C-alpha cells in the first residue's frame, strides 16, 4: 500500500479519538475519520505506517442507519468535533464502547461501564471559546479552529456547539484589528501581536468575559487601541462584564501566558453551579458544559455518601467540587497548582460564607503528602486530574494511608484505567464507571467512579 492508493475498506470499530478503524480485504488497518461501524467505503490513502495507514473517504459505498447529515458546515476540516455525522444516541453508545475499550488492558478485572449520561444540550453548550487569530492567503484577518493535527486555522463564523453570540464578538474584534492595522501573531516568524481571542459566558448569569492573548509586553493599550475596542464590544453585547489582556510573549504552543491585566469591568465573571456562586478569572479552569457538570458533581457527591470528616479535593480548580463538599464534611482541603484558580477558590469560599474549607496552591503530589505528614489524614478523597491522570507517587501515598473512599472524576478513560489498576491492586474495590457526556460531538467523555476500601 502506498500514498494516494484508493482502497475499499469496511469499518469494524472506532478508535479513542473518534476515527473509524477499518480494514482492507486482506486485513490491513486503515484509520478514517467520519466513518461509522459497519460502513464500507472507498478510501484514499494519505499516509502509510508499518502496521496501519491513514485515509480519507472518497466514496461511501454503504451507509450505516446511524448516519445523519452533518449539522456543521466545517465539520470535515475542523479538528474540534468527531461525531457530527451520526445521531446523538449513537454517539453516546460509541462513547460507552470507547470507555470499555480503555479498560480492555484490565482484562477480567475491568469494571462495569454504565450507559453514558447524555447532555441535555447537544448544541450551543460550550460556555468558552478560545480562537487562534491569523491571516489567510490573501492577508485577510481570520479567527477559527485548528485543522485536525495541524496549526493551520480554519476560519469559523459559527460553531454549532458554542454559544452563538460569541461570533458577533469575534467579528467585532477582527474588524477592529483590521481597521487599526494591528497584526495577528504568526507562529512561524514569532511576530505580530494578537494570538488568541478568549470568550467565556456564565451559563446562569449570562455574564460574558472577553480577552485577547497578546504577544506584547508593554503599552498594549495603545497598541491594541483597547479603549475604542471596548466601546465597540459593549455596543455588540450588553452582557460583557469584563475585558482582559493576557500576555504571552513566549515561542510556545501553550495558549495562555502568566500575566492577565483587566482593562474593563471585573477581574472575573460570575456564575452559579448547584446554587453556589463562583467567580472565575480568565486563566482558571471551568467546565465548558455547565448544566452537565452540575449533574456530574452531584453524582460525585452521591457516590461519596455521608460518612466522612476530613476530605481532600485534589486538582480542585476554583473550588467547584470543594465548596459542594463543604456542606457534608467537617473540613475540606482543596489543592490546585494554578495560582489564579486558587485565588478564585479562596474568593469563592468567602463569597459563599463557607468556613470549613482550606485551599492550598501547589501540586497534589507534593501538597497532599505534606498534609498527611502533618497528621491531617483524609477519610475521603476526590481526584479530578487533567488528561495525564494522577502522579504515581500520589497514588502510592493514597494506597499507604487508605482513605475509606476515593471518588475519581476523569476526562481521559485511558489514564483512569491506568490509575484504577493501581488502586484496585492495593486494597480498593471499584463501583461501576459512570460516563457523562460533557462534550457532545467531540470524542471526549468524562467518567466518574467510586473506589471503596
Ligand atoms: N475540579 C475542578 C478542576 C478540574 S480540571 C473542576 O471541576 O472545576 C484539573 C485541574 O487540575 C486544573 O485546574 C489544573 O490547573 C489542575 N492541575 C493540573 N495539574 C495539577 C497538579 N499536579 N496538582 C494540582 N492541580 C493540578
Amino acid at each position: 500500500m502506498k500514498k494516494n492508493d484508493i482502497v475499499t475498506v469496511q469499518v469494524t470499530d472506532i478508535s479513542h479519538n473518534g476515527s473509524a478503524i477499518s480494514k482492507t480485504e486482506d486485513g490491513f488497518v486503515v484509520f478514517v475519520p467520519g466513518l461509522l461501524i459497519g460502513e464500507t467505503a472507498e478510501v484514499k490513502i494519505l499516509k502509510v505506517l508499518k502496521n496501519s495507514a491513514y485515509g480519507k473517504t472518497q466514496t461511501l459505498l454503504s451507509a450505516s442507519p446511524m448516519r445523519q447529515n452533518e449539522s456543521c458546515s466545517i465539520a470535515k476540516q475542523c479538528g474540534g468535533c468527531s461525531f457530527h455525522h451520526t445521531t446523538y444516541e449513537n454517539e453516546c453508545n460509541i462513547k460507552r464502547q470507547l470507555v470499555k475499550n480503555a479498560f480492555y488492558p484490565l482484562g477480567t478485572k475491568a469494571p462495569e461501564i454504565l450507559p453514558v449520561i447524555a447532555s441535555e444540550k447537544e448544541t450551543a453548550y460550550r460556555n468558552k471559546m478560545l480562537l487562534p487569530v491569523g491571516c489567510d492567503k490573501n492577508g485577510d484577518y481570520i479567527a477559527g479552529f485548528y485543522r485536525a493535527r495541524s496549526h493551520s486555522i480554519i476560519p469559523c463564523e459559527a460553531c454549532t456547539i458554542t454559544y452563538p453570540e460569541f461570533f458577533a464578538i469575534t467579528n467585532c474584534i477582527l474588524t477592529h484589528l483590521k481597521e487599526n492595522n494591528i497584526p495577528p501573531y504568526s507562529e512561524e516568524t514569532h511576530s505580530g501581536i494578537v494570538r488568541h481571542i478568549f470568550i467565556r459566558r456564565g451559563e446562569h448569569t449570562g455574564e460574558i468575559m472577553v480577552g485577547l492573548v497578546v504577544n506584547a509586553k508593554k503599552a498594549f493599550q495603545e497598541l491594541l487601541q483597547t479603549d475604542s475596542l471596548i466601546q465597540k464590544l459593549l455596543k455588540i453585547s450588553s452582557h460583557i462584564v469584563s475585558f482582559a489582556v493576557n500576555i504571552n510573549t513566549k515561542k510556545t504552543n501553550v495558549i495562555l501566558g502568566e500575566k492577565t491585566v483587566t482593562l474593563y469591568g471585573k477581574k472575573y465573571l460570575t456564575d452559579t453551579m448547584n446554587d453556589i456562586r463562583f467567580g472565575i478569572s480568565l486563566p482558571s479552569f471551568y467546565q465548558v458544559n455547565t448544566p452537565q457538570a452540575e449533574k456530574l458533581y452531584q453524582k460525585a457527591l452521591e457516590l461519596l455518601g455521608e460518612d466522612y470528616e476530613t476530605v481532600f479535593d485534589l486538582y480542585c480548580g476554583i473550588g467547584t467540587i470543594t465548596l459542594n463538599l463543604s456542606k457534608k464534611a467537617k473540613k475540606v482541603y482543596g489543592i490546585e497548582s494554578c495560582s489564579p484558580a486558587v485565588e478564585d477558590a479562596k474568593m469563592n469560599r468567602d463569597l459563599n460564607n463557607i468556613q470549613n474549607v482550606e485551599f492550598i496552591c501547589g501540586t497534589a503530589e507534593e501538597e497532599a503528602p505534606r498534609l498527611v505528614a502533618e497528621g491531617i489524614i483524609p477519610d475521603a478523597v476526590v481526584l479530578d486530574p487533567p488528561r495525564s491522570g494522577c502522579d504515581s507517587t500520589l497514588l502510592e501515598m493514597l494506597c499507604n494511608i487508605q482513605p475509606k473512599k476515593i471518588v475519581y472524576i476523569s476526562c481521559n478513560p485511558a489514564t483512569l484505567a491506568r490509575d484504577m489498576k493501581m488502586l484496585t491492586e492495593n486494597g480498593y474495590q471499584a463501583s461501576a464507571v459512570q460516563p457523562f457526556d460533557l462534550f457532545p460531538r467531540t470524542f471526549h467523555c468524562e467518567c466518574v467512579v467510586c473506589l471503596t476500601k
Side-chain angles (χ1 to χ4, degrees):
M1 188 181 286
K2 56 186 188 312
K3 192 176 166 182
N4 293 330
D5 277 359
I6 307 287
V7 295
T8 302
V9 297
Q10 175 151 33
V11 180
T12 54
D13 209 344
I14 303 288
S15 77
H16 68 98
N17 65 5
S19 257
I21 304 175
S22 69
K23 284 188 181 149
T24 60
E25 212 177 309
D26 41 15
F28 198 74
V29 172
V30 186
F31 294 97
V32 193
L35 288 180
L36 296 168
I37 292 178
E39 292 186 329
T40 52
E42 269 179 358
V43 163
K44 183 173 181 177
I45 298 300
L46 300 176
K47 191 174 177 184
V48 186
L49 305 172
K50 205 172 156 204
N51 297 315
S52 61
Y54 292 88
K56 74 170 186 186
T57 307
Q58 289 285 99
T59 316
L60 186 60
L61 300 174
S62 76
S64 159
M66 307 298 176
R67 179 165 283 280
Q68 66 175 22
N69 286 337
E70 274 159 359
S71 45
C72 169
S73 60
I74 56 162
K76 282 202 175 70
Q77 299 100 296
C78 170
C81 291
S82 308
F83 294 125
H84 276 290
H85 58 290
T86 191
T87 60
Y88 185 48
E89 192 188 350
N90 188 42
E91 177 184 334
C92 288
N93 291 336
I94 293 172
K95 286 180 172 172
R96 183 185 188 190
Q97 188 58 45
L98 295 185
V99 178
K100 283 187 188 172
N101 294 350
F103 280 89
Y104 184 72
L106 271 66
T108 53
K109 300 222 171 84
E112 183 191 353
I113 311 296
L114 296 170
V116 172
I117 295 186
S119 171
E120 259 166 55
K121 292 183 174 186
E122 289 165 40
T123 57
Y125 65 83
R126 275 195 74 95
N127 63 25
K128 184 182 101 171
M129 189 164 83
L130 245 175
L131 294 184
V133 182
C135 286
D136 68 9
K137 280 187 212 128
N138 307 322
D140 272 342
Y141 290 13
I142 51 170
F145 297 103
Y146 289 130
R147 189 183 290 279
R149 292 175 299 282
S150 130
H151 267 207
S152 76
I153 300 169
I154 307 292
C156 180
E157 285 179 4
C159 164
T160 58
I161 64 169
T162 304
Y163 186 66
E165 194 178 344
F166 288 177
F167 288 92
I169 295 172
T170 314
N171 286 337
C172 173
I173 295 172
L174 285 183
T175 307
H176 173 84
L177 298 180
K178 270 181 229 165
E179 281 173 2
N180 293 285
N181 289 319
I182 304 163
Y185 175 73
S186 155
E187 280 188 344
E188 283 102 58
T189 58
H190 189 49
S191 62
I193 299 176
V194 181
R195 300 172 76 124
H196 277 79
I197 297 172
F198 172 103
I199 311 174
R200 185 185 264 152
R201 175 178 179 269
E203 172 80 20
H204 296 296
T205 57
E207 291 183 4
I208 291 177
M209 169 186 272
V210 180
L212 293 179
V213 184
V214 301
N215 173 42
K217 272 205 176 95
K218 285 185 275 185
F220 40 81
Q221 266 165 288
E222 295 79 54
L223 269 175
L224 296 164
Q225 310 265 347
T226 46
D227 288 348
S228 122
L229 173 59
I230 291 163
Q231 290 315 313
K232 290 175 197 166
L233 286 170
L234 292 175
K235 279 192 196 137
I236 294 280
S237 170
S238 57
H239 300 294
I240 296 173
V241 296
S242 173
F243 177 88
V245 166
N246 174 274
I247 296 158
N248 185 357
T249 53
K250 290 194 182 144
K251 208 171 178 184
T252 168
N253 276 345
V254 178
I255 296 177
L256 295 180
E258 273 163 28
K259 192 170 167 199
T260 304
V261 185
T262 304
L263 297 176
Y264 168 79
K266 303 190 283 190
K267 255 182 88 176
Y268 49 85
L269 76 88
T270 47
D271 200 12
T272 60
M273 279 188 114
N274 296 327
D275 296 325
I276 300 177
R277 278 177 71 201
F278 290 98
I280 312 133
S281 58
L282 187 147
S284 295
F285 175 89
Y286 189 58
Q287 283 288 8
V288 296
N289 182 343
T290 312
Q292 192 69 349
E294 288 175 283
K295 282 195 204 160
L296 170 73
Y297 296 157
Q298 276 165 357
K299 183 73 193 175
L301 289 193
E302 186 191 308
L303 287 171
L304 208 53
E306 300 282 337
D307 185 23
Y308 44 81
E309 289 199 351
T310 307
V311 187
F312 285 3
D313 178 21
L314 306 182
Y315 314 88
C316 70
I318 61 164
T320 41
I321 301 170
T322 337
L323 299 188
N324 271 291
L325 286 166
S326 71
K327 295 175 206 159
K328 294 188 167 188
K330 253 198 188 147
K331 181 89 192 223
V332 192
Y333 293 87
I335 301 179
E336 161 63 45
S337 62
C338 166
S339 79
V342 178
E343 277 172 40
D344 290 352
K346 288 178 180 169
M347 170 182 76
N348 294 332
R349 173 191 58 197
D350 300 342
L351 201 67
N352 292 283
N353 219 351
I354 291 171
Q355 318 287 343
N356 59 338
V357 169
E358 199 173 308
F359 287 106
I360 297 161
C361 185
T363 64
E365 54 276 21
E366 280 177 34
E367 295 303 318
R370 196 181 54 74
L371 288 178
V372 169
E374 284 172 17
I376 302 165
I377 314 289
D379 39 22
V381 173
V382 175
L383 301 170
D384 187 9
R387 289 186 64 74
S388 51
C390 295
D391 191 278
S392 60
T393 59
L394 171 68
L395 296 175
E396 275 164 28
M397 188 279 281
L398 293 177
C399 293
N400 283 335
I401 61 163
Q402 297 267 313
K404 272 189 287 195
K405 272 190 180 179
I406 300 173
V407 169
Y408 195 138
I409 299 175
S410 161
C411 55
N412 183 350
T415 54
L416 175 64
R418 180 199 69 197
D419 293 351
M420 273 177 65
K421 181 168 187 286
M422 178 149 175
L423 292 167
T424 49
E425 282 171 358
N426 286 280
Y428 283 91
Q429 200 168 16
S431 68
V433 173
Q434 177 61 70
F436 269 82
D437 189 22
L438 265 67
F439 315 102
R441 299 310 175 211
T442 77
F443 66 83
H444 295 282
C445 187
E446 202 87 4
C447 288
V448 60
V449 62
C450 181
L451 294 129
T452 309
K453 196 176 132 178

